[in-house]
Amino acid sequence: NQKCGGRKKTVSFSSMPSEKKISSANDCISFMQAGCELKKVRPNSRIYNRFFTLDTDLQALRWEPSKKDLEKAKLDISAIKEIRLGKNTETFRNNGLADQICEDCAFSILHGENYESLDLVANSADVANIWVSGLRYLVSRSKQPLDFMEGNQNTPRFMWLKTVFEAADVDGNGIMLEDTSVELIKQLNPTLKEAKIRLKFKEIQKSKEKLTTRVTEEEFCEAFCELCTRPEVYFLLVQISKNKEYLDANDLMLFLEAEQGVTHITEDMCLDIIRRYELSEEGRQKGFLAIDGFTQYLLSSECDIFDPEQKKVAQDMTQPLSHYYINASHNTYLIEDQFRGPADINGYIRALKMGCRSIELDVSDGSDNEPILCNRNNMTTHVSFRSVIEVINKFAFVASEYPLILCLGNHCSLPQQKVMVQQMKKVFGNKLYTEAPLPSESYLPSPEKLKRMIIVKGKKLPSDPDVLEGEVTDEDEEAEMSRRMSVDYNGEQKQIRLCRELSDLVSICKSVQYRDFELSMKSQNYWEMCSFSETEASRIANEYPEDFVNYNKKFLSRIYPSAMRIDSSNLNPQDFWNCGCQIVAMNFQTPGPMMDLHTGWFLQNGGCGYVLRPSIMRDEVSYFSANTKGILPGVSPLALHIKIISGQNFPKPKGACAKGDVIDPYVCIEIHGIPADCSEQRTKTVQQNSDNPIFDETFEFQINLPELAMIRFVVLDDDYIGDEFIGQYTIPFECLQPGYRHVPLRSFVGDIMEHVTLFAHIAITNRSGGGKAQKRSLSVRMGKKVREYTMLRNIGLKTIDDIFKIAVHPLREAIDMRENMQNAIVSIKELCGLPPIASLKQCLLTLSSRLITSDNTPSVSLVMKDSFPYLEPLGAIPDVQKKMLAAYDLMIQESRFLIEMADTVQEKIVQCQKAGMEFHEELHNLGAKEGLKGRKLNKATESFAWNITVLKTCPCVFMVEGIIFLWVCTH
């Protein structure tokens, strides 16, 4: 984490330009009137430092020094058409130094009938937000009396605070004890520390040269607003409320649809949100949401970063068992390290409550003919086998109703094996799955079919019923690894005796020894599974990544930690999930980054312990390599945009010593997945701020295989002594919700920390759009690279190559249509001054606001032609609007062409794929006839699988955007 992708450490000494926080439009105006230095950006790549101020009469913006006359070095507020945050004008896009300018510090003022731009850069994102919020507020009220300078006393928020104060002022004197005021603010905002509230009252009273400790109504309201207003939330509220200081139902509905990605939202649903979260009675009755209610709503579970659909079982559970990742525990009976830790029944309770679906039981002989579970490095503490299976029976299906696998490590004598069988049959009853596998089948049963079943994994005797006992290889994995590492190891495994009764409890999870993939693919039965040590699995994953993936399409693989991990540290499960390994056993008793990944991964799909693997890793004919560092066949990369805005209530690192409560936090964003996706970036450090540090930094990551990607947010202390860890949260990419989200941080041991959050903005796009004009050539090169995922490979067999050649043209047509559509959308976003991450809904809302005349009437009409929405001008319109209409028409044309041609192009691709698949069974024979063998034959097989993957995947994705665009336009 300290390296964080090699990014240089930077420090922000103050997130705000002054000690006073921004809590109202009045604060913004006051700051602008005082003025500050901004950088003025010109199209010729020059940047000038200028001091900008707002006139005291609020009518003009001025700057100095300037070669112009003083009366010309100004911009009238009445001439301003629009204020844009970010680098979203031609000046920024064309400026050669734009890469050195922070996106969140840039803003532009568009003015005049031709929408000329004044492009500026602040020294921090906070300052930029103050100017943008203040200017938008002035512009929206330029035709109305400016009454806000009278103060904030008549705003809905202050009216509510007055009623709160009056209700607590039992004497009715308009004054109360400081203790009472402190307690009242703590009731309204439980996250605030008492010392901080008292300090604020002292500051206010000192500024007024008061000696008394009694608090007036005005002082109470001032303290509350300064303490409880989060500037970043205030700026957001002003932005989405069209520069009001509250949201009405219509504002909230547009915010939820355009920014948060909520569908089917209605005005009644928005009014219900307002009634539930608005703190003032007046607001609830009139239907508006002020800053405090909006903050509460953003902090609620309704705005959580985790998709609520994934909090229930949302995946297809009818696939074979081998097609799922399975939540698995190693040495489940331990609650400490595996070297000397005692056996404890609580290990099973903890694992099962966390949704674990594969647990381990290492059973040995006990006294009085009672089998026991114990750590054989610490025989002094043990638990009886019966008590363990009774606990398992009680908790087996509390967190999940899908099948539970018992990995049985049998070290018992024959008599005690029979006792084990009797006890399991008695305790588990008909939950035990002992149905014999059908040789006619090719794959394991599904989790759906095996619901509420307990499956025993273990060794099995030959099927001859006359054999009542026999020898099998020992399941003692740690001992086996020790023998293998010994200089005297001769390749032979230790044998143990197994009774028929215990053998018969094993059905579809029979343990067998791995030899090599060629032998396994020929002779292994689908109900047989191999266990791999971490060391062995790592070697195989590095040497035979494609073979490992193909093997796991049909067979279960279990990976267990190295015996060298005597401290019970954890392996990285992602390394083996990338190979398709289903059961990666983790030491649940050992917290840390690896366990964070495991816990975060299995939060999806309702936490049921089963996660469906990507189709590219399940399809019988498909190409995927676990070690890929480039493009995947048929999979279009996505761009993940994460803006870390702020943090809330960060605690001091628990292991820190000899240090005060003040911390210097920063945030690391880690991307875990296939090697091509792995990345890490960090924010600046915010000094001495744990309550509400403002980061305001945006990061972009390319995600090639979203189904296997995870995001881990880590908050660390840059000025630590002993311990730097503050909190973390790990989430699968597929569970991310777009928009403004709070991220609930977890402690080192994985517990959710109350009120400790990160505030972030999430956006996912199909690719990076826009960019500067002189860099378009780079964008084109990137576009060509992206196209690689649709390129077909030469197999070396003319008959098959000729079939795939037929698909080249329709594939090119499909991608051309998709990219033309994307380029048309990017163009109109740029004209609207929107960043590439903006949604289509936001684009259309902005477009509609630009097509309004000065007297607030539309300059165009919406006309449906052949079910497509066109815009036609109502008379003469300015050149700026003509450009927008032209861009909109192009977007409609590309969308229409894509949708109308989609079925035809898709049918051609599907036919080629079907024709190619007819050669699948004969591929090896055809290759042998053509003289292909060894590496060349393997390469031909890989290329065939690549081509089939491309043809299967591409038709499913290339027409989606056109359909989405049409839906947004018509709704």
Side-chain angles (χ1 to χ4, degrees), residues 671-690:
I671 308 296
H672 297 264
I674 61 173
D677 291 343
C678 290
S679 180
E680 183 176 358
Q681 295 195 56
R682 62 158 285 175
T683 67
K684 65 182 180 241
T685 297
V686 176
Q687 240 193 14
Q688 299 186 9
N689 191 335
S690 60

Short mmCIF file of all heavy atoms in Angstrom, two decimals, residues 671-690:
data_model
loop_
_atom_site.label_atom_id
_atom_site.label_comp_id
_atom_site.label_asym_id
_atom_site.label_seq_id
_atom_site.Cartn_x
_atom_site.Cartn_y
_atom_site.Cartn_z
N ILE A 671 -7.31 -2.49 -7.66
CA ILE A 671 -8.13 -3.30 -8.57
C ILE A 671 -7.52 -4.69 -8.60
O ILE A 671 -6.33 -4.86 -8.92
CB ILE A 671 -8.18 -2.71 -9.99
CG1 ILE A 671 -8.60 -1.24 -9.95
CG2 ILE A 671 -9.13 -3.54 -10.86
CD1 ILE A 671 -9.99 -0.99 -9.44
N HIS A 672 -8.32 -5.68 -8.26
CA HIS A 672 -7.88 -7.09 -8.30
C HIS A 672 -8.68 -7.82 -9.36
O HIS A 672 -9.87 -7.57 -9.52
CB HIS A 672 -8.10 -7.75 -6.93
CG HIS A 672 -7.30 -7.13 -5.83
ND1 HIS A 672 -6.09 -7.63 -5.41
CD2 HIS A 672 -7.53 -6.04 -5.05
CE1 HIS A 672 -5.61 -6.87 -4.43
NE2 HIS A 672 -6.47 -5.90 -4.19
N GLY A 673 -8.02 -8.71 -10.08
CA GLY A 673 -8.68 -9.47 -11.14
C GLY A 673 -7.65 -10.20 -11.95
O GLY A 673 -6.61 -10.63 -11.43
N ILE A 674 -7.90 -10.34 -13.25
CA ILE A 674 -6.88 -10.95 -14.11
C ILE A 674 -5.69 -9.99 -14.17
O ILE A 674 -5.83 -8.79 -13.90
CB ILE A 674 -7.45 -11.24 -15.52
CG1 ILE A 674 -7.90 -9.94 -16.20
CG2 ILE A 674 -8.59 -12.24 -15.44
CD1 ILE A 674 -8.32 -10.13 -17.65
N PRO A 675 -4.49 -10.48 -14.52
CA PRO A 675 -3.30 -9.62 -14.49
C PRO A 675 -3.46 -8.33 -15.28
O PRO A 675 -2.94 -7.29 -14.88
CB PRO A 675 -2.21 -10.52 -15.11
CG PRO A 675 -2.65 -11.92 -14.74
CD PRO A 675 -4.14 -11.90 -14.81
N ALA A 676 -4.20 -8.37 -16.39
CA ALA A 676 -4.38 -7.16 -17.20
C ALA A 676 -5.15 -6.08 -16.47
O ALA A 676 -5.04 -4.90 -16.81
CB ALA A 676 -5.11 -7.53 -18.50
N ASP A 677 -5.92 -6.45 -15.46
CA ASP A 677 -6.77 -5.50 -14.75
C ASP A 677 -6.15 -4.99 -13.44
O ASP A 677 -6.60 -3.99 -12.90
CB ASP A 677 -8.14 -6.12 -14.44
CG ASP A 677 -8.95 -6.34 -15.69
OD1 ASP A 677 -8.62 -5.73 -16.72
OD2 ASP A 677 -9.93 -7.13 -15.66
N CYS A 678 -5.17 -5.72 -12.92
CA CYS A 678 -4.61 -5.37 -11.60
C CYS A 678 -3.94 -3.99 -11.65
O CYS A 678 -3.12 -3.72 -12.53
CB CYS A 678 -3.61 -6.43 -11.15
SG CYS A 678 -4.41 -7.98 -10.71
N SER A 679 -4.31 -3.15 -10.71
CA SER A 679 -3.79 -1.79 -10.69
C SER A 679 -3.98 -1.21 -9.29
O SER A 679 -4.75 -1.74 -8.49
CB SER A 679 -4.53 -0.93 -11.72
OG SER A 679 -4.07 0.40 -11.73
N GLU A 680 -3.28 -0.10 -9.02
CA GLU A 680 -3.41 0.54 -7.71
C GLU A 680 -3.05 2.01 -7.84
O GLU A 680 -2.07 2.36 -8.51
CB GLU A 680 -2.49 -0.14 -6.70
CG GLU A 680 -2.61 0.42 -5.29
CD GLU A 680 -1.76 -0.36 -4.29
OE1 GLU A 680 -1.11 -1.34 -4.69
OE2 GLU A 680 -1.74 0.04 -3.12
N GLN A 681 -3.87 2.88 -7.26
CA GLN A 681 -3.58 4.31 -7.25
C GLN A 681 -3.95 4.87 -5.88
O GLN A 681 -4.74 4.26 -5.15
CB GLN A 681 -4.36 5.03 -8.35
CG GLN A 681 -3.95 4.62 -9.76
CD GLN A 681 -4.44 5.57 -10.82
OE1 GLN A 681 -4.17 6.76 -10.77
NE2 GLN A 681 -5.18 5.04 -11.78
N ARG A 682 -3.39 6.03 -5.56
CA ARG A 682 -3.65 6.63 -4.26
C ARG A 682 -3.99 8.11 -4.40
O ARG A 682 -3.60 8.77 -5.36
CB ARG A 682 -2.47 6.46 -3.31
CG ARG A 682 -1.20 7.12 -3.76
CD ARG A 682 -0.24 7.38 -2.60
NE ARG A 682 -0.67 8.49 -1.76
CZ ARG A 682 -0.08 8.85 -0.64
NH1 ARG A 682 0.98 8.18 -0.21
NH2 ARG A 682 -0.51 9.87 0.07
N THR A 683 -4.68 8.62 -3.39
CA THR A 683 -4.99 10.04 -3.34
C THR A 683 -3.84 10.79 -2.68
O THR A 683 -2.89 10.19 -2.19
CB THR A 683 -6.26 10.31 -2.51
OG1 THR A 683 -5.99 10.00 -1.13
CG2 THR A 683 -7.44 9.48 -2.99
N LYS A 684 -3.98 12.10 -2.64
CA LYS A 684 -3.07 12.92 -1.84
C LYS A 684 -3.34 12.64 -0.37
O LYS A 684 -4.34 12.01 0.00
CB LYS A 684 -3.32 14.39 -2.14
CG LYS A 684 -4.70 14.86 -1.69
CD LYS A 684 -4.95 16.31 -2.04
CE LYS A 684 -6.34 16.74 -1.58
NZ LYS A 684 -7.23 17.16 -2.63
N THR A 685 -2.46 13.10 0.47
CA THR A 685 -2.65 13.02 1.92
C THR A 685 -3.30 14.30 2.40
O THR A 685 -2.88 15.39 2.02
CB THR A 685 -1.29 12.83 2.63
OG1 THR A 685 -0.72 11.60 2.21
CG2 THR A 685 -1.47 12.80 4.14
N VAL A 686 -4.33 14.16 3.21
CA VAL A 686 -4.96 15.33 3.84
C VAL A 686 -4.44 15.40 5.27
O VAL A 686 -4.61 14.46 6.04
CB VAL A 686 -6.49 15.23 3.83
CG1 VAL A 686 -7.11 16.41 4.57
CG2 VAL A 686 -7.00 15.19 2.39
N GLN A 687 -3.80 16.50 5.61
CA GLN A 687 -3.12 16.59 6.91
C GLN A 687 -4.09 16.94 8.04
O GLN A 687 -4.94 17.81 7.91
CB GLN A 687 -2.01 17.64 6.85
CG GLN A 687 -0.67 17.03 7.14
CD GLN A 687 0.40 18.07 7.39
OE1 GLN A 687 0.14 19.24 7.60
NE2 GLN A 687 1.63 17.61 7.35
N GLN A 688 -3.94 16.18 9.11
CA GLN A 688 -4.60 16.47 10.38
C GLN A 688 -6.10 16.69 10.24
O GLN A 688 -6.66 17.70 10.66
CB GLN A 688 -3.94 17.70 11.04
CG GLN A 688 -2.49 17.47 11.35
CD GLN A 688 -1.86 18.61 12.14
OE1 GLN A 688 -2.54 19.50 12.61
NE2 GLN A 688 -0.54 18.56 12.29
N ASN A 689 -6.76 15.71 9.62
CA ASN A 689 -8.21 15.80 9.48
C ASN A 689 -8.77 14.38 9.45
O ASN A 689 -8.57 13.64 8.49
CB ASN A 689 -8.60 16.54 8.20
CG ASN A 689 -10.08 16.88 8.15
OD1 ASN A 689 -10.91 16.23 8.78
ND2 ASN A 689 -10.42 17.91 7.40
N SER A 690 -9.47 14.01 10.50
CA SER A 690 -10.08 12.69 10.55
C SER A 690 -11.60 12.77 10.43
O SER A 690 -12.25 11.77 10.14
CB SER A 690 -9.72 12.00 11.87
OG SER A 690 -10.19 12.76 12.98
#
